[in-house]
Amino acid sequence: MTPTELTFRRWRHFGASGAKLIGAVRQFAVCHEGRANPNQLAIGPYAIADLSRLREALVEEHSHAVDRLMT
């Protein structure tokens, strides 16, 4: 399951919060079959690109938020 726009929005909001530590951002299933619902992300080699994109969105939004606070 690839992240939906809602998931990206949630991660961007975490980044915009200005927090320096983000933990337990999302509940992940340890295998695809173990998901609680069809939209839940699962950890695995196939998820590396999706998780990387989510992290990039979070860090980018965080940078914008911090820049706005510093100016």
Side-chain angles (χ1 to χ4, degrees):
M1 175 71 198
T2 58
T4 64
E5 183 52 38
L6 180 62
T7 302
F8 276 100
R9 181 176 164 241
R10 185 177 304 117
W11 281 56
R12 284 192 297 271
H13 284 172
F14 285 129
S17 74
K20 299 297 183 195
L21 178 64
I22 305 295
V25 172
R26 174 93 178 172
Q27 300 300 322
F28 292 97
V30 294
C31 66
H32 193 71
E33 296 78 21
R35 296 175 303 153
N37 68 65
N39 293 323
Q40 186 176 14
L41 300 176
I43 295 291
Y46 47 82
I48 293 171
D50 291 335
L51 292 173
S52 178
R53 288 180 23 235
L54 285 168
R55 183 189 172 279
E56 287 171 15
L58 185 149
V59 170
E60 181 179 337
E61 193 61 38
H62 179 78
S63 294
H64 292 311
V66 169
D67 288 345
R68 285 189 297 265
L69 291 173
M70 298 303 233
T71 57

Short mmCIF file of all heavy atoms in Angstrom, two decimals:
data_model
loop_
_atom_site.label_atom_id
_atom_site.label_comp_id
_atom_site.label_asym_id
_atom_site.label_seq_id
_atom_site.Cartn_x
_atom_site.Cartn_y
_atom_site.Cartn_z
N MET A 1 0.85 -1.18 0.00
CA MET A 1 0.00 0.00 0.00
C MET A 1 0.89 1.23 0.00
O MET A 1 1.70 1.43 0.89
CB MET A 1 -0.89 -0.04 1.25
CG MET A 1 -1.73 1.17 1.47
SD MET A 1 -3.02 1.20 0.25
CE MET A 1 -3.53 2.87 0.31
N THR A 2 0.74 2.05 -1.01
CA THR A 2 1.50 3.30 -1.04
C THR A 2 0.78 4.35 -0.20
O THR A 2 -0.45 4.31 -0.07
CB THR A 2 1.67 3.81 -2.48
OG1 THR A 2 0.38 3.99 -3.05
CG2 THR A 2 2.46 2.83 -3.33
N PRO A 3 1.52 5.28 0.37
CA PRO A 3 0.89 6.30 1.21
C PRO A 3 -0.10 7.16 0.40
O PRO A 3 0.18 7.53 -0.74
CB PRO A 3 2.06 7.15 1.68
CG PRO A 3 3.29 6.33 1.45
CD PRO A 3 2.97 5.42 0.33
N THR A 4 -1.21 7.47 1.02
CA THR A 4 -2.21 8.32 0.37
C THR A 4 -1.85 9.78 0.59
O THR A 4 -0.96 10.11 1.38
CB THR A 4 -3.61 8.06 0.96
OG1 THR A 4 -3.59 8.46 2.35
CG2 THR A 4 -4.02 6.61 0.84
N GLU A 5 -2.54 10.67 -0.09
CA GLU A 5 -2.31 12.10 0.10
C GLU A 5 -2.60 12.49 1.55
O GLU A 5 -1.94 13.36 2.11
CB GLU A 5 -3.17 12.92 -0.86
CG GLU A 5 -2.93 14.41 -0.76
CD GLU A 5 -1.46 14.83 -0.86
OE1 GLU A 5 -0.71 14.23 -1.66
OE2 GLU A 5 -1.05 15.75 -0.13
N LEU A 6 -3.58 11.84 2.17
CA LEU A 6 -3.89 12.11 3.58
C LEU A 6 -2.69 11.76 4.47
O LEU A 6 -2.37 12.49 5.41
CB LEU A 6 -5.13 11.33 4.03
CG LEU A 6 -5.56 11.52 5.48
CD1 LEU A 6 -5.92 12.98 5.75
CD2 LEU A 6 -6.75 10.63 5.78
N THR A 7 -2.02 10.67 4.17
CA THR A 7 -0.83 10.28 4.93
C THR A 7 0.27 11.32 4.76
O THR A 7 0.90 11.74 5.73
CB THR A 7 -0.33 8.90 4.49
OG1 THR A 7 -1.38 7.94 4.68
CG2 THR A 7 0.88 8.46 5.30
N PHE A 8 0.49 11.76 3.51
CA PHE A 8 1.50 12.80 3.28
C PHE A 8 1.13 14.08 4.01
O PHE A 8 1.98 14.75 4.60
CB PHE A 8 1.67 13.08 1.78
CG PHE A 8 2.62 12.13 1.11
CD1 PHE A 8 2.14 11.05 0.40
CD2 PHE A 8 3.99 12.30 1.22
CE1 PHE A 8 3.02 10.16 -0.22
CE2 PHE A 8 4.87 11.43 0.62
CZ PHE A 8 4.39 10.35 -0.11
N ARG A 9 -0.14 14.43 4.00
CA ARG A 9 -0.59 15.64 4.70
C ARG A 9 -0.29 15.55 6.20
O ARG A 9 0.19 16.49 6.81
CB ARG A 9 -2.09 15.83 4.46
CG ARG A 9 -2.66 17.04 5.11
CD ARG A 9 -4.14 17.20 4.71
NE ARG A 9 -4.76 18.12 5.63
CZ ARG A 9 -5.77 17.83 6.42
NH1 ARG A 9 -6.33 16.65 6.38
NH2 ARG A 9 -6.26 18.72 7.24
N ARG A 10 -0.57 14.38 6.78
CA ARG A 10 -0.32 14.17 8.21
C ARG A 10 1.17 14.32 8.52
O ARG A 10 1.55 14.99 9.47
CB ARG A 10 -0.82 12.78 8.60
CG ARG A 10 -0.72 12.49 10.08
CD ARG A 10 -1.30 11.13 10.46
NE ARG A 10 -2.68 10.98 10.04
CZ ARG A 10 -3.11 10.08 9.14
NH1 ARG A 10 -2.26 9.25 8.57
NH2 ARG A 10 -4.38 10.00 8.82
N TRP A 11 2.02 13.73 7.70
CA TRP A 11 3.46 13.82 7.93
C TRP A 11 3.95 15.26 7.73
O TRP A 11 4.83 15.72 8.45
CB TRP A 11 4.20 12.85 7.02
CG TRP A 11 4.16 11.43 7.52
CD1 TRP A 11 3.05 10.69 7.82
CD2 TRP A 11 5.27 10.59 7.79
NE1 TRP A 11 3.41 9.44 8.24
CE2 TRP A 11 4.76 9.34 8.22
CE3 TRP A 11 6.64 10.75 7.67
CZ2 TRP A 11 5.59 8.29 8.56
CZ3 TRP A 11 7.46 9.69 8.00
CH2 TRP A 11 6.94 8.48 8.45
N ARG A 12 3.40 15.98 6.75
CA ARG A 12 3.78 17.39 6.56
C ARG A 12 3.38 18.21 7.78
O ARG A 12 4.11 19.11 8.20
CB ARG A 12 3.15 17.95 5.28
CG ARG A 12 3.86 17.47 4.02
CD ARG A 12 3.42 18.24 2.79
NE ARG A 12 2.02 18.09 2.48
CZ ARG A 12 1.50 17.14 1.71
NH1 ARG A 12 2.29 16.25 1.13
NH2 ARG A 12 0.20 17.08 1.48
N HIS A 13 2.22 17.90 8.36
CA HIS A 13 1.78 18.62 9.56
C HIS A 13 2.71 18.34 10.74
O HIS A 13 2.99 19.24 11.54
CB HIS A 13 0.34 18.26 9.93
CG HIS A 13 -0.65 18.92 9.04
ND1 HIS A 13 -2.00 18.62 9.08
CD2 HIS A 13 -0.52 19.86 8.08
CE1 HIS A 13 -2.63 19.36 8.19
NE2 HIS A 13 -1.75 20.11 7.57
N PHE A 14 3.19 17.11 10.85
CA PHE A 14 4.18 16.81 11.89
C PHE A 14 5.42 17.67 11.67
O PHE A 14 5.98 18.24 12.62
CB PHE A 14 4.59 15.33 11.88
CG PHE A 14 3.57 14.40 12.46
CD1 PHE A 14 3.16 13.29 11.76
CD2 PHE A 14 3.03 14.62 13.72
CE1 PHE A 14 2.23 12.42 12.29
CE2 PHE A 14 2.10 13.75 14.26
CZ PHE A 14 1.69 12.65 13.54
N GLY A 15 5.87 17.78 10.44
CA GLY A 15 7.04 18.60 10.13
C GLY A 15 6.80 20.07 10.42
O GLY A 15 7.66 20.76 10.95
N ALA A 16 5.61 20.56 10.08
CA ALA A 16 5.29 21.98 10.28
C ALA A 16 5.17 22.34 11.75
O ALA A 16 5.26 23.51 12.11
CB ALA A 16 4.00 22.32 9.55
N SER A 17 5.00 21.35 12.60
CA SER A 17 4.84 21.63 14.03
C SER A 17 6.11 22.23 14.64
O SER A 17 6.05 22.84 15.69
CB SER A 17 4.46 20.35 14.79
OG SER A 17 5.59 19.49 14.92
N GLY A 18 7.23 22.04 13.96
CA GLY A 18 8.49 22.56 14.47
C GLY A 18 9.17 21.64 15.47
O GLY A 18 10.24 21.95 15.99
N ALA A 19 8.58 20.50 15.75
CA ALA A 19 9.17 19.55 16.69
C ALA A 19 10.53 19.06 16.17
O ALA A 19 10.73 18.93 14.97
CB ALA A 19 8.25 18.36 16.89
N LYS A 20 11.43 18.83 17.08
CA LYS A 20 12.76 18.35 16.70
C LYS A 20 12.87 16.84 16.76
O LYS A 20 13.82 16.27 16.28
CB LYS A 20 13.83 18.96 17.62
CG LYS A 20 13.89 20.45 17.54
CD LYS A 20 14.27 20.89 16.15
CE LYS A 20 14.40 22.41 16.11
NZ LYS A 20 14.41 22.93 14.77
N LEU A 21 11.91 16.20 17.38
CA LEU A 21 11.93 14.74 17.48
C LEU A 21 10.54 14.23 17.13
O LEU A 21 9.55 14.63 17.73
CB LEU A 21 12.30 14.29 18.90
CG LEU A 21 12.30 12.80 19.16
CD1 LEU A 21 13.37 12.12 18.32
CD2 LEU A 21 12.54 12.52 20.64
N ILE A 22 10.49 13.38 16.14
CA ILE A 22 9.23 12.79 15.71
C ILE A 22 9.31 11.30 16.01
O ILE A 22 10.17 10.60 15.48
CB ILE A 22 8.98 12.99 14.20
CG1 ILE A 22 9.05 14.46 13.81
CG2 ILE A 22 7.66 12.37 13.79
CD1 ILE A 22 8.00 15.34 14.41
N GLY A 23 8.46 10.81 16.87
CA GLY A 23 8.47 9.40 17.22
C GLY A 23 7.08 8.82 17.11
O GLY A 23 6.09 9.50 17.34
N ALA A 24 7.01 7.59 16.71
CA ALA A 24 5.72 6.90 16.58
C ALA A 24 4.75 7.71 15.73
O ALA A 24 3.60 7.90 16.07
CB ALA A 24 5.12 6.60 17.95
N VAL A 25 5.25 8.19 14.61
CA VAL A 25 4.43 9.00 13.70
C VAL A 25 3.28 8.18 13.16
O VAL A 25 2.18 8.67 13.01
CB VAL A 25 5.31 9.53 12.54
CG1 VAL A 25 4.46 10.21 11.50
CG2 VAL A 25 6.37 10.47 13.08
N ARG A 26 3.53 6.95 12.90
CA ARG A 26 2.52 6.14 12.25
C ARG A 26 2.68 4.70 12.73
O ARG A 26 3.78 4.23 12.97
CB ARG A 26 2.76 6.22 10.74
CG ARG A 26 1.94 5.36 9.88
CD ARG A 26 0.73 6.07 9.43
NE ARG A 26 0.01 5.15 8.54
CZ ARG A 26 -1.17 5.40 8.09
NH1 ARG A 26 -1.75 6.50 8.40
NH2 ARG A 26 -1.78 4.56 7.32
N GLN A 27 1.58 4.03 12.88
CA GLN A 27 1.64 2.62 13.22
C GLN A 27 1.90 1.81 11.95
O GLN A 27 1.18 1.96 10.97
CB GLN A 27 0.33 2.16 13.87
CG GLN A 27 -0.01 2.91 15.13
CD GLN A 27 1.05 2.74 16.20
OE1 GLN A 27 1.61 1.67 16.36
NE2 GLN A 27 1.32 3.80 16.92
N PHE A 28 2.92 1.00 11.97
CA PHE A 28 3.27 0.18 10.82
C PHE A 28 3.02 -1.29 11.14
O PHE A 28 3.25 -1.73 12.26
CB PHE A 28 4.76 0.33 10.47
CG PHE A 28 5.11 1.68 9.94
CD1 PHE A 28 5.64 2.65 10.77
CD2 PHE A 28 4.92 1.98 8.61
CE1 PHE A 28 5.99 3.89 10.29
CE2 PHE A 28 5.26 3.22 8.12
CZ PHE A 28 5.80 4.18 8.95
N ALA A 29 2.56 -2.01 10.16
CA ALA A 29 2.43 -3.46 10.29
C ALA A 29 3.81 -4.07 10.00
O ALA A 29 4.58 -3.53 9.21
CB ALA A 29 1.40 -4.01 9.32
N VAL A 30 4.11 -5.19 10.64
CA VAL A 30 5.40 -5.82 10.41
C VAL A 30 5.40 -6.68 9.15
O VAL A 30 6.44 -7.06 8.66
CB VAL A 30 5.86 -6.66 11.63
CG1 VAL A 30 6.13 -5.76 12.82
CG2 VAL A 30 4.84 -7.73 11.96
N CYS A 31 4.22 -6.97 8.65
CA CYS A 31 4.11 -7.66 7.37
C CYS A 31 2.81 -7.22 6.70
O CYS A 31 1.89 -6.74 7.35
CB CYS A 31 4.16 -9.17 7.53
SG CYS A 31 2.74 -9.86 8.39
N HIS A 32 2.78 -7.36 5.39
CA HIS A 32 1.63 -6.89 4.62
C HIS A 32 0.33 -7.56 5.09
O HIS A 32 -0.71 -6.91 5.19
CB HIS A 32 1.88 -7.17 3.13
CG HIS A 32 0.93 -6.48 2.22
ND1 HIS A 32 0.96 -5.11 2.03
CD2 HIS A 32 -0.06 -6.95 1.46
CE1 HIS A 32 0.00 -4.78 1.18
NE2 HIS A 32 -0.62 -5.87 0.82
N GLU A 33 0.41 -8.83 5.41
CA GLU A 33 -0.78 -9.56 5.83
C GLU A 33 -1.25 -9.18 7.24
O GLU A 33 -2.37 -9.46 7.63
CB GLU A 33 -0.54 -11.08 5.79
CG GLU A 33 -0.28 -11.63 4.40
CD GLU A 33 1.15 -11.36 3.93
OE1 GLU A 33 2.05 -11.11 4.76
OE2 GLU A 33 1.37 -11.38 2.70
N GLY A 34 -0.38 -8.54 8.01
CA GLY A 34 -0.69 -8.20 9.39
C GLY A 34 -1.32 -6.82 9.56
O GLY A 34 -1.48 -6.35 10.69
N ARG A 35 -1.67 -6.16 8.48
CA ARG A 35 -2.25 -4.82 8.58
C ARG A 35 -3.63 -4.86 9.23
O ARG A 35 -4.40 -5.78 9.00
CB ARG A 35 -2.37 -4.20 7.19
CG ARG A 35 -1.04 -3.97 6.52
CD ARG A 35 -1.18 -3.48 5.10
NE ARG A 35 -1.96 -4.43 4.34
CZ ARG A 35 -2.69 -4.12 3.27
NH1 ARG A 35 -2.72 -2.89 2.82
NH2 ARG A 35 -3.37 -5.04 2.64
N ALA A 36 -3.92 -3.84 10.04
CA ALA A 36 -5.22 -3.74 10.70
C ALA A 36 -6.29 -3.28 9.73
O ALA A 36 -7.46 -3.57 9.91
CB ALA A 36 -5.14 -2.79 11.89
N ASN A 37 -5.90 -2.52 8.72
CA ASN A 37 -6.84 -2.08 7.68
C ASN A 37 -6.08 -1.96 6.36
O ASN A 37 -4.85 -1.90 6.36
CB ASN A 37 -7.53 -0.76 8.07
CG ASN A 37 -6.58 0.40 8.10
OD1 ASN A 37 -6.04 0.79 7.06
ND2 ASN A 37 -6.34 0.97 9.28
N PRO A 38 -6.77 -1.90 5.25
CA PRO A 38 -6.09 -1.89 3.94
C PRO A 38 -5.21 -0.68 3.70
O PRO A 38 -4.32 -0.72 2.86
CB PRO A 38 -7.24 -1.91 2.93
CG PRO A 38 -8.48 -2.18 3.68
CD PRO A 38 -8.22 -1.93 5.13
N ASN A 39 -5.42 0.41 4.42
CA ASN A 39 -4.62 1.61 4.21
C ASN A 39 -3.38 1.68 5.09
O ASN A 39 -2.57 2.60 4.96
CB ASN A 39 -5.47 2.87 4.46
CG ASN A 39 -6.55 3.01 3.44
OD1 ASN A 39 -6.36 2.71 2.27
ND2 ASN A 39 -7.71 3.46 3.87
N GLN A 40 -3.23 0.74 6.02
CA GLN A 40 -2.08 0.77 6.92
C GLN A 40 -0.81 0.41 6.16
O GLN A 40 -0.79 -0.52 5.36
CB GLN A 40 -2.29 -0.21 8.07
CG GLN A 40 -1.22 -0.12 9.13
CD GLN A 40 -1.50 -1.03 10.31
OE1 GLN A 40 -2.35 -1.90 10.26
NE2 GLN A 40 -0.79 -0.82 11.39
N LEU A 41 0.25 1.15 6.44
CA LEU A 41 1.53 0.87 5.80
C LEU A 41 2.19 -0.32 6.48
O LEU A 41 2.00 -0.55 7.66
CB LEU A 41 2.45 2.09 5.90
CG LEU A 41 1.94 3.36 5.25
CD1 LEU A 41 2.91 4.51 5.51
CD2 LEU A 41 1.75 3.17 3.76
N ALA A 42 2.96 -1.06 5.72
CA ALA A 42 3.69 -2.21 6.25
C ALA A 42 5.18 -1.99 5.99
O ALA A 42 5.57 -1.37 5.01
CB ALA A 42 3.22 -3.50 5.60
N ILE A 43 6.00 -2.49 6.89
CA ILE A 43 7.45 -2.38 6.76
C ILE A 43 7.94 -3.54 5.90
O ILE A 43 7.52 -4.68 6.07
CB ILE A 43 8.12 -2.45 8.15
CG1 ILE A 43 7.74 -1.25 8.99
CG2 ILE A 43 9.63 -2.55 8.02
CD1 ILE A 43 8.30 0.05 8.51
N GLY A 44 8.85 -3.23 5.01
CA GLY A 44 9.46 -4.26 4.17
C GLY A 44 10.30 -3.60 3.10
O GLY A 44 10.27 -2.38 2.94
N PRO A 45 11.06 -4.38 2.36
CA PRO A 45 11.93 -3.81 1.34
C PRO A 45 11.16 -3.00 0.30
O PRO A 45 11.67 -2.03 -0.25
CB PRO A 45 12.61 -5.01 0.70
CG PRO A 45 12.13 -6.22 1.40
CD PRO A 45 11.14 -5.81 2.45
N TYR A 46 9.93 -3.37 0.06
CA TYR A 46 9.10 -2.68 -0.93
C TYR A 46 8.64 -1.32 -0.42
O TYR A 46 8.18 -0.49 -1.18
CB TYR A 46 7.88 -3.52 -1.27
CG TYR A 46 7.19 -4.06 -0.04
CD1 TYR A 46 6.30 -3.29 0.68
CD2 TYR A 46 7.48 -5.34 0.42
CE1 TYR A 46 5.71 -3.76 1.84
CE2 TYR A 46 6.89 -5.82 1.58
CZ TYR A 46 6.01 -5.03 2.28
OH TYR A 46 5.44 -5.49 3.43
N ALA A 47 8.78 -1.05 0.86
CA ALA A 47 8.29 0.20 1.45
C ALA A 47 9.38 1.27 1.58
O ALA A 47 9.08 2.40 1.97
CB ALA A 47 7.68 -0.08 2.82
N ILE A 48 10.61 0.95 1.24
CA ILE A 48 11.71 1.88 1.44
C ILE A 48 11.49 3.18 0.69
O ILE A 48 11.64 4.27 1.25
CB ILE A 48 13.06 1.24 1.04
CG1 ILE A 48 13.38 0.11 2.02
CG2 ILE A 48 14.18 2.26 1.01
CD1 ILE A 48 14.55 -0.75 1.61
N ALA A 49 11.10 3.12 -0.56
CA ALA A 49 10.89 4.34 -1.36
C ALA A 49 9.75 5.18 -0.79
O ALA A 49 9.86 6.41 -0.71
CB ALA A 49 10.62 3.97 -2.82
N ASP A 50 8.66 4.52 -0.38
CA ASP A 50 7.52 5.25 0.19
C ASP A 50 7.90 5.94 1.49
O ASP A 50 7.56 7.10 1.72
CB ASP A 50 6.34 4.31 0.44
CG ASP A 50 5.71 3.81 -0.85
OD1 ASP A 50 5.83 4.50 -1.88
OD2 ASP A 50 5.10 2.73 -0.81
N LEU A 51 8.60 5.23 2.36
CA LEU A 51 9.02 5.82 3.64
C LEU A 51 10.00 6.97 3.41
O LEU A 51 9.96 7.99 4.11
CB LEU A 51 9.64 4.76 4.54
CG LEU A 51 8.67 3.70 5.05
CD1 LEU A 51 9.43 2.59 5.77
CD2 LEU A 51 7.64 4.32 5.95
N SER A 52 10.85 6.82 2.43
CA SER A 52 11.80 7.89 2.10
C SER A 52 11.05 9.14 1.63
O SER A 52 11.38 10.26 2.04
CB SER A 52 12.76 7.40 1.01
OG SER A 52 13.64 8.43 0.64
N ARG A 53 10.04 8.96 0.79
CA ARG A 53 9.24 10.10 0.32
C ARG A 53 8.50 10.77 1.47
O ARG A 53 8.40 12.00 1.54
CB ARG A 53 8.26 9.64 -0.76
CG ARG A 53 8.95 9.31 -2.07
CD ARG A 53 8.03 8.85 -3.20
NE ARG A 53 6.66 9.27 -3.09
CZ ARG A 53 5.61 8.45 -3.11
NH1 ARG A 53 5.78 7.15 -3.22
NH2 ARG A 53 4.39 8.91 -3.05
N LEU A 54 7.95 9.98 2.39
CA LEU A 54 7.27 10.54 3.56
C LEU A 54 8.23 11.35 4.42
O LEU A 54 7.93 12.46 4.84
CB LEU A 54 6.63 9.43 4.39
CG LEU A 54 5.36 8.81 3.83
CD1 LEU A 54 5.00 7.55 4.60
CD2 LEU A 54 4.21 9.81 3.86
N ARG A 55 9.42 10.81 4.65
CA ARG A 55 10.41 11.51 5.45
C ARG A 55 10.84 12.80 4.77
O ARG A 55 10.98 13.84 5.42
CB ARG A 55 11.62 10.62 5.70
CG ARG A 55 12.65 11.29 6.59
CD ARG A 55 13.96 10.50 6.65
NE ARG A 55 14.97 11.26 7.36
CZ ARG A 55 15.69 12.24 6.82
NH1 ARG A 55 15.50 12.58 5.56
NH2 ARG A 55 16.59 12.89 7.53
N GLU A 56 11.05 12.75 3.47
CA GLU A 56 11.44 13.96 2.74
C GLU A 56 10.37 15.05 2.87
O GLU A 56 10.70 16.23 3.07
CB GLU A 56 11.67 13.63 1.26
CG GLU A 56 12.95 12.86 1.00
CD GLU A 56 13.05 12.36 -0.43
OE1 GLU A 56 12.30 12.84 -1.30
OE2 GLU A 56 13.91 11.50 -0.68
N ALA A 57 9.11 14.67 2.77
CA ALA A 57 8.01 15.64 2.91
C ALA A 57 8.01 16.24 4.32
O ALA A 57 7.83 17.45 4.49
CB ALA A 57 6.67 14.98 2.61
N LEU A 58 8.23 15.40 5.33
CA LEU A 58 8.26 15.86 6.71
C LEU A 58 9.42 16.84 6.92
O LEU A 58 9.24 17.93 7.46
CB LEU A 58 8.40 14.65 7.64
CG LEU A 58 8.34 14.92 9.13
CD1 LEU A 58 7.73 13.73 9.84
CD2 LEU A 58 9.70 15.22 9.71
N VAL A 59 10.62 16.48 6.48
CA VAL A 59 11.80 17.32 6.68
C VAL A 59 11.66 18.63 5.90
O VAL A 59 12.01 19.70 6.41
CB VAL A 59 13.08 16.56 6.27
CG1 VAL A 59 14.29 17.47 6.23
CG2 VAL A 59 13.32 15.39 7.23
N GLU A 60 11.15 18.57 4.68
CA GLU A 60 10.98 19.78 3.88
C GLU A 60 10.02 20.75 4.57
O GLU A 60 10.29 21.95 4.69
CB GLU A 60 10.45 19.43 2.49
CG GLU A 60 10.27 20.63 1.60
CD GLU A 60 9.77 20.25 0.23
OE1 GLU A 60 9.96 19.09 -0.20
OE2 GLU A 60 9.18 21.12 -0.43
N GLU A 61 8.91 20.24 5.06
CA GLU A 61 7.93 21.10 5.73
C GLU A 61 8.51 21.65 7.03
O GLU A 61 8.28 22.80 7.39
CB GLU A 61 6.64 20.33 6.01
CG GLU A 61 5.50 21.20 6.42
CD GLU A 61 5.10 22.23 5.36
OE1 GLU A 61 5.12 21.90 4.17
OE2 GLU A 61 4.77 23.37 5.75
N HIS A 62 9.28 20.83 7.73
CA HIS A 62 9.94 21.30 8.95
C HIS A 62 10.90 22.45 8.64
O HIS A 62 10.92 23.45 9.36
CB HIS A 62 10.69 20.15 9.62
CG HIS A 62 11.41 20.56 10.86
ND1 HIS A 62 10.76 20.75 12.06
CD2 HIS A 62 12.71 20.84 11.08
CE1 HIS A 62 11.64 21.12 12.98
NE2 HIS A 62 12.83 21.18 12.40
N SER A 63 11.67 22.33 7.59
CA SER A 63 12.60 23.38 7.19
C SER A 63 11.86 24.67 6.90
O SER A 63 12.29 25.76 7.31
CB SER A 63 13.41 22.95 5.96
OG SER A 63 14.24 21.88 6.27
N HIS A 64 10.74 24.58 6.18
CA HIS A 64 9.94 25.78 5.89
C HIS A 64 9.41 26.40 7.18
O HIS A 64 9.44 27.62 7.34
CB HIS A 64 8.77 25.45 4.96
CG HIS A 64 9.19 25.08 3.58
ND1 HIS A 64 10.07 25.81 2.82
CD2 HIS A 64 8.83 24.03 2.80
CE1 HIS A 64 10.24 25.23 1.65
NE2 HIS A 64 9.49 24.15 1.61
N ALA A 65 8.94 25.58 8.11
CA ALA A 65 8.39 26.08 9.36
C ALA A 65 9.46 26.78 10.19
O ALA A 65 9.23 27.86 10.74
CB ALA A 65 7.76 24.95 10.16
N VAL A 66 10.64 26.19 10.26
CA VAL A 66 11.73 26.77 11.05
C VAL A 66 12.20 28.06 10.40
O VAL A 66 12.45 29.05 11.08
CB VAL A 66 12.88 25.76 11.21
CG1 VAL A 66 14.12 26.41 11.80
CG2 VAL A 66 12.44 24.58 12.07
N ASP A 67 12.29 28.08 9.07
CA ASP A 67 12.69 29.30 8.35
C ASP A 67 11.71 30.43 8.62
O ASP A 67 12.11 31.58 8.82
CB ASP A 67 12.79 29.05 6.85
CG ASP A 67 13.99 28.21 6.48
OD1 ASP A 67 14.91 28.05 7.32
OD2 ASP A 67 14.01 27.69 5.34
N ARG A 68 10.42 30.12 8.65
CA ARG A 68 9.41 31.15 8.93
C ARG A 68 9.55 31.70 10.34
O ARG A 68 9.35 32.88 10.58
CB ARG A 68 7.98 30.59 8.72
CG ARG A 68 7.60 30.44 7.27
CD ARG A 68 6.13 30.11 7.13
NE ARG A 68 5.77 28.83 7.73
CZ ARG A 68 5.68 27.68 7.08
NH1 ARG A 68 5.93 27.62 5.80
NH2 ARG A 68 5.34 26.58 7.70
N LEU A 69 9.91 30.84 11.28
CA LEU A 69 10.07 31.28 12.67
C LEU A 69 11.31 32.14 12.85
O LEU A 69 11.35 33.03 13.69
CB LEU A 69 10.16 30.07 13.61
CG LEU A 69 8.89 29.25 13.78
CD1 LEU A 69 9.18 28.00 14.60
CD2 LEU A 69 7.80 30.08 14.45
N MET A 70 12.35 31.87 12.07
CA MET A 70 13.62 32.57 12.22
C MET A 70 13.65 33.93 11.52
O MET A 70 14.52 34.72 11.79
CB MET A 70 14.76 31.71 11.69
CG MET A 70 14.90 30.40 12.45
SD MET A 70 15.14 30.71 14.19
CE MET A 70 16.57 29.79 14.50
N THR A 71 12.71 34.16 10.61
CA THR A 71 12.73 35.45 9.89
C THR A 71 11.76 36.43 10.48
O THR A 71 10.90 36.17 11.24
CB THR A 71 12.39 35.25 8.40
OG1 THR A 71 11.12 34.62 8.27
CG2 THR A 71 13.47 34.44 7.73
#
